[in-house]
Amino acid sequence: MIEFFQNVFVGFRLVDVLDILIVAYLVYKILGFIQETRAQQLVRGLAFLVIIFFLSDILNLYLLNWLLKNFVTMGLFALIVLFQPELRRGLEQLGRKNLVSGQFRSLDKEHAFAVVKEIVAAVDDFSATRTGALMVFERETMLTDIIETGAIVDARISSRLLGNLFYEGSPLHDGAVIIRGDRIHAASCVLPLTEKKNIGRNLGTRHRAGLGVSEVSDALVIVVSEETGVISVAENGNFRRFMDLKSVEKLLLGLYMPQEETFKQKMVRKLKRHRKEGRKDGE
């Protein structure tokens, strides 16, 4: 046994430990990224096909092996097309990690409270007057391609300015407002629509656009219905309707005054997500 371990560690360098740790970290991040996207079920199917491919090679199933080999070659190009939003999001997060959240942390509490107060006042006014509104709060995923579809504003956040932007007679009222940090960055922006069919027949294009951008980015989206004045929030591809002002204020305070998540909190959050996914699979 001792001789076995001696043979294993012959020529083993300290840099090899670093190499193993880097690869392990990359695999961990890739698996975590897959779990947080809609690609999880497809990846499971691909893993099954890969196992069948190796079994067909071992058992000399030539026809099946040839078919799977050609399928994998074509499948690689198909995956790039199918997972384009997820791949773009992952690369943007890699290059922009904590930059936007760092902007939020750079705000002092007094200024953050003032910004949130202005936004909540605007949402309250939109709901009371049944003014349709769509506000997208950029986080780590850059929304440059969406911003390019609208008009740059780059102005300090205020309830009066937001009211003017979404006023029905305003030339910029039709579309979304992109908020980057403590400034209104752009207005009248076009968002991608969700492809989900079960979000409700009474929800129009504004709600579908809000949910759609939350599916391809980590943005927080606030939607106010023009017909009912109901406040809704879209985040991570999920939709919450009939939000009250206190809940909206709490969400925004969490956005503008983020706290570092402890290891225990991360584990609890992941455990809750896995249980939720397990219940969905059981249904």
Side-chain angles (χ1 to χ4, degrees):
M1 181 66 69
I2 296 175
E3 184 179 352
F4 170 77
F5 282 105
Q6 286 178 343
N7 292 331
V8 169
F9 288 101
V10 167
F12 195 78
R13 304 165 301 166
L14 184 61
V15 71
D16 294 327
V17 176
L18 178 62
D19 188 20
I20 293 171
L21 290 175
I22 292 174
V23 172
Y25 176 76
L26 289 175
V27 171
Y28 169 77
K29 296 299 289 184
I30 291 172
L31 291 175
F33 173 69
I34 290 172
Q35 286 182 340
E36 294 175 358
T37 66
R38 297 166 292 165
Q40 187 174 3
Q41 298 299 324
L42 288 174
V43 170
R44 289 179 181 176
L46 289 172
F48 176 75
L49 289 177
V50 169
I51 293 172
I52 296 298
F53 172 75
F54 282 111
L55 287 176
S56 66
D57 189 40
I58 294 172
L59 298 175
N60 296 323
L61 303 175
Y62 300 114
L63 180 59
L64 179 61
N65 185 264
W66 179 83
L67 288 173
L68 289 174
K69 187 182 295 183
N70 285 274
F71 174 81
V72 169
T73 303
M74 294 182 294
L76 290 175
F77 295 100
L79 285 177
I80 295 175
V81 177
L82 290 173
F83 294 163
Q84 187 268 338
E86 285 81 5
L87 290 172
R88 184 183 64 182
R89 178 179 175 183
L91 292 173
E92 286 179 345
Q93 287 180 351
L94 182 64
R96 190 175 163 79
K97 188 66 175 175
N98 292 329
L99 290 182
V100 175
S101 56
Q103 291 179 5
F104 290 131
R105 280 194 288 267
S106 66
L107 301 178
D108 59 78
K109 288 187 177 181
E110 185 177 348
H111 182 45
F113 271 117
V115 170
V116 171
K117 182 180 178 181
E118 292 291 331
I119 298 171
V120 172
V123 173
D124 186 20
D125 183 62
F126 295 150
S127 179
T129 59
R130 295 190 178 183
T131 301
L134 180 54
M135 292 180 285
V136 181
F137 296 83
E138 186 184 57
R139 284 175 168 162
E140 293 181 8
T141 305
M142 295 185 69
L143 303 176
T144 305
D145 54 337
I146 292 175
I147 290 170
E148 290 174 350
T149 65
I152 300 297
V153 178
D154 192 23
R156 182 175 60 86
I157 293 176
S158 71
S159 58
R160 294 183 64 180
L161 177 56
L162 287 170
N164 287 333
L165 289 174
F166 286 112
Y167 173 64
E168 190 173 356
S170 167
L172 300 178
H173 83 281
D174 190 16
V177 161
I178 308 296
I179 296 177
R180 176 177 289 176
D182 61 343
R183 299 185 70 80
I184 300 173
H185 190 71
S188 191
C189 297
V190 180
L191 305 182
L193 300 180
T194 181
E195 296 181 0
K196 290 183 178 179
K197 306 296 183 183
N198 58 344
I199 68 169
R201 295 181 179 179
N202 59 330
L203 299 182
T205 305
R206 184 177 289 109
H207 292 81
R208 291 184 174 276
L211 184 59
V213 72
S214 76
E215 291 174 342
V216 298
S217 73
D218 60 353
L220 173 70
V221 186
I222 296 178
V223 187
V224 180
S225 172
E226 185 177 3
E227 289 76 20
T228 62
V230 170
I231 304 169
S232 305
V233 170
E235 189 175 17
N236 296 322
N238 297 313
F239 214 55
R240 285 177 283 176
R241 299 197 66 204
F242 304 102
M243 299 286 289
D244 55 48
L245 291 176
K246 285 292 183 183
S247 299
V248 173
E249 184 180 35
K250 184 178 179 181
L251 276 173
L252 292 173
L253 287 175
L255 177 68
Y256 280 92
M257 292 189 293
Q259 298 178 351
E260 290 294 337
E261 191 176 30
T262 63
F263 177 77
K264 183 178 179 181
Q265 289 172 329
K266 288 181 180 179
M267 295 303 295
V268 170
R269 176 171 56 81
K270 290 183 178 180
L271 181 61
K272 288 181 178 179
R273 187 179 69 231
H274 287 314
R275 285 179 178 176
K276 184 178 179 181
E277 292 174 352
R279 287 196 295 267
K280 287 183 179 179
D281 293 338
E283 294 174 357

